Every structure is written in structure tokens, then in C-alpha cells.
Amino acid sequence: MKIFAQTERLVLREMLPDDLEGMFELDSDPEVHRYLGNKPITDKKKSAEMITFVRRQYESYGIGRWAVIDKKTNEFVGWAGLKYITELTNNHQNYYDLGYRLIRRYWGQGIATEAALICLEYAFDELKLTELYAAAACENAESNHILKKIGMKFVETFYYEDIPCNWYKMDRVDFEKNRGAN
């Protein structure tokens, strides 16, 4: 098992087949999928397929979403991390995307912000990226707040699968400025 990053309370590690129960809890919750097209899963097979998909990204691109684990309880909290996007999205292709998704009982504890910040450090310090993107449904106030809080800059609004979304960007210069401000 590879650990990519850690904070005082979180471990961000490779997603494993053993994360099936946590992934199912996450993606079967309609509230979690409220801003994702309202398509919660109903079958653990879909969770297993998602874990396999993420693990293939590690092999293909050297990066993918990571399991977020609570250090105290060793429980699966959700996922966060970087994903290399090859599909055309908002006129962008072959770019790195920052994302996160947490099981509902972990919302409101600063975990998404903490995980996103460590992902930024990994993106710019370890991968030496020059830019990073993120998107959030316009109606998802919390996710938009997190992206702004970590220093992502709003660029524009676009539609993804008929869902109005905000598009964000951070480049290395902005990352270094934000790091100096903290």
C-alpha cells in the first residue's frame, strides 16, 4: 500500500479493493450525489468497478484519486486527490484535476479542505505541475467555498452533462503566493 500524503489527522493512500464498503457508503448516498447528477449507485459491483478504474489510473498516469483515511480510527472517510483527465472538458484536455468526495457523516469537519490543501502541495511540489484545475456544480456552495478557500481562482461557468459548474484554476505562481500567505 502506497501512502501519498499525510496530515496530522489524515492519511491519503492508494485506493484498495478493501475500500469497497466505504466507497459503497459514499456513492450510494443520494445527498452525496445531489450535485453530481443525482445518480447514486445501488450495487457494490459499481463501487468495485470504480476502485478498479482508479487503480488503472495509477498504472496509466502515475496518479489518481486517493483514499482518505482517519488516522485515529483507520476508517475510510472518502477520497481526494488528483486525476489526469484525457476527455475534453470545458475546452480542456489532458490536464490535472483536483477533486474530493466525503462520506456525509464526515462533512463540516474541515476534512475536504485539509485533504485538498495537501493535494495542492503534492501537485506542485512532487509532480512539479505548472497548473491545476477543479470544477464544482454552481449550486454546491460548500465545494465552491473550499476551492476558493484553498486559493483556486474562479475562471468561468460552464455546463458539464447539463449541470452548470464553476471552473477553477491554480498555477504555480498562485500556489507559491498562497503558501507564503499561510
Side-chain angles (χ1 to χ4, degrees):
M1 167 184 61
K2 181 172 181 178
I3 294 174
F4 291 93
Q6 294 188 58
T7 68
E8 190 172 308
R9 64 182 175 160
L10 304 174
V11 172
L12 280 74
R13 62 154 170 80
E14 71 179 296
M15 202 172 288
L16 301 170
D18 290 349
D19 295 322
L20 179 65
E21 293 299 323
M23 283 291 284
F24 182 73
E25 180 180 352
L26 174 70
D27 283 328
S28 64
D29 185 342
E31 194 59 28
V32 170
H33 277 261
R34 185 170 162 199
Y35 301 111
L36 303 171
N38 288 317
K39 299 174 190 166
I41 63 169
T42 57
D43 183 343
K44 287 184 183 176
K45 181 180 174 194
K46 293 286 184 194
S47 295
E49 290 170 359
M50 178 57 75
I51 291 169
T52 298
F53 174 77
V54 169
R55 293 186 60 76
R56 281 191 195 124
Q57 289 179 326
Y58 300 153
E59 294 169 14
S60 299
Y61 306 110
I63 197 72
R65 306 297 195 206
W66 305 322
V68 177
I69 306 299
D70 182 310
K71 276 186 176 178
K72 284 184 187 171
T73 64
N74 205 33
E75 288 186 25
F76 180 92
V77 172
W79 58 255
L82 308 171
K83 180 179 177 183
Y84 189 69
I85 307 288
T86 59
E87 302 84 27
L88 186 65
T89 309
N90 192 31
N91 299 314
H92 291 78
Q93 192 171 14
N94 301 324
Y95 65 92
Y96 289 90
D97 170 78
L98 169 69
Y100 42 82
R101 190 177 302 169
L102 302 180
I103 293 172
R104 188 179 353 167
R105 61 189 148 102
Y106 295 102
W107 292 359
Q109 299 175 35
I111 294 171
T113 301
E114 188 174 328
L117 283 168
I118 199 77
C119 291
L120 287 178
E121 288 179 15
Y122 191 88
F124 291 105
D125 292 342
E126 300 298 321
L127 296 178
K128 308 295 186 201
L129 298 184
T130 57
E131 60 190 13
L132 182 65
Y133 295 91
C138 293
E139 292 182 2
N140 189 340
E142 286 301 314
S143 194
N144 282 283
H145 173 74
I146 290 166
L147 292 172
K148 290 174 188 171
K149 184 176 180 177
I150 66 168
M152 299 289 291
K153 291 204 177 352
F154 170 79
V155 177
E156 63 191 343
T157 299
F158 74 105
Y159 282 83
Y160 180 77
E161 297 181 1
D162 297 326
I163 299 170
C165 295
N166 290 326
W167 184 257
Y168 294 88
K169 178 181 180 181
M170 179 180 279
D171 62 26
R172 177 170 290 287
V173 172
D174 288 332
F175 172 73
E176 294 298 339
K177 281 184 202 172
N178 288 342
R179 182 184 354 228
N182 293 334

